[in-house]
Amino acid sequence: MYIFLYSLSINAYILFRVVLQTLALAGTWVAHPALVKVALAIFDKHMPTPNQIKTNPGLEGASVTESNLLKLPSTIPRLEAITSKGLIKGVAIVLAYTEAWLRGIGCIPLNNAMEDAATAEISRAQIWQWRYHGVRTGDDGAKVTSERIKSIVAEEVKRQSGEGNRGKWLLAGKLVEDMLTKEKLDDFLTTVCYPHILTTEYEGSIILEDDGLHSKL
């Protein structure tokens, strides 16, 4: 079963990279060193030149308007676009990534996908927008409120930490709760976390702004 799922993942990775390459991208990122050969083989095959500066991907998307971008895809029923399950999953993603980041880990496997700061940021900003605009989850009609988000965060912290102080779950829970419920959207997830991992101390004598040197010049 594991080998089957691994094959599906590799095939999906290859297909997506082929699509990106045909859109004139000249490179890609990998989540693991083992994927370097896989990605390199794709670009060696489809991109014989050092770059794709002169490659024209065509006019695909040239006529896309703002309304097109805001329109819900027809394949997603409106009541299934925002769900309680999606809300819980989104909170769990933000929380899990924040906890890992606080421990110095910048990329984690989660739900058969690779989460990094960018993907966790999508969930964070999305949930904040849902709460800020007072949307309701389609499956139960319940409003996305600060209290609802706080409850989900608390439950997830309890589940992950085992009601103890294992890892950075308690701190991550406090930070995520604040990020998702405050009135102003933070610029980025990691900027909120930085003060909790950095310790700075000035070493050496204080250099005076004016030591008399400039007055002698």
Side-chain angles (χ1 to χ4, degrees):
M1 182 64 179
Y2 174 80
I3 295 177
F4 174 70
L5 292 175
Y6 175 79
S7 297
L8 286 180
S9 299
I10 290 296
N11 289 335
Y13 179 88
I14 292 174
L15 178 60
F16 185 53
R17 265 57 197 177
V18 170
V19 171
L20 291 179
Q21 193 278 327
T22 57
L23 292 175
L25 273 72
T28 186
W29 79 287
V30 294
H32 190 277
L35 290 174
V36 171
K37 289 184 178 180
V38 178
L40 188 60
I42 297 171
F43 280 84
D44 283 345
K45 179 179 180 180
H46 298 280
M47 192 184 80
T49 55
N51 56 61
Q52 300 205 80
I53 295 176
K54 296 183 179 180
T55 301
N56 186 351
L59 298 178
E60 184 71 27
S63 61
V64 174
T65 64
E66 182 179 348
S67 60
N68 293 142
L69 296 175
L70 295 174
K71 185 178 180 181
L72 187 69
S74 59
T75 55
I76 303 178
R78 180 165 294 277
L79 293 180
E80 296 179 15
I82 301 176
T83 64
S84 54
K85 182 178 179 180
L87 175 62
I88 293 173
K89 182 179 179 180
V91 171
I93 288 173
V94 180
L95 183 61
Y97 182 79
T98 300
E99 192 277 334
W101 198 91
L102 290 169
R103 289 187 289 110
I105 301 174
C107 191
I108 61 171
L110 191 66
N111 302 321
N112 298 315
M114 191 59 68
E115 296 289 343
D116 60 8
T119 55
E121 175 66 7
I122 292 173
S123 293
R124 181 190 74 93
Q126 185 177 58
I127 294 170
W128 186 92
Q129 293 283 357
W130 289 352
R131 180 203 57 79
Y132 184 79
H133 294 287
V135 302
R136 297 178 181 275
T137 42
D139 54 321
D140 55 14
K143 191 175 182 180
V144 178
T145 62
S146 295
E147 290 70 27
R148 186 178 182 184
I149 291 173
K150 290 178 181 179
S151 177
I152 295 173
V153 171
E155 285 296 320
E156 187 65 14
V157 168
K158 181 179 179 180
R159 186 178 73 85
Q160 292 286 4
S161 65
E163 300 187 45
N165 195 25
R166 181 169 58 88
K168 296 288 186 178
W169 292 104
L170 297 182
L171 174 58
K174 292 178 180 179
L175 295 177
V176 170
E177 178 182 299
D178 181 65
M179 283 188 279
L180 297 180
T181 61
K182 64 172 49 175
E183 191 62 21
K184 182 180 179 181
L185 179 66
D186 290 302
D187 290 335
F188 202 74
L189 187 156
T190 55
T191 58
V192 177
C193 301
Y194 264 118
H196 298 275
I197 66 169
L198 296 180
T199 55
T200 59
E201 180 179 354
Y202 184 84
E203 297 181 357
S205 301
I206 300 298
I207 300 175
L208 300 177
E209 291 186 19
D210 185 4
D211 59 358
L213 177 62
H214 293 89
S215 61
K216 298 178 183 178
L217 297 178

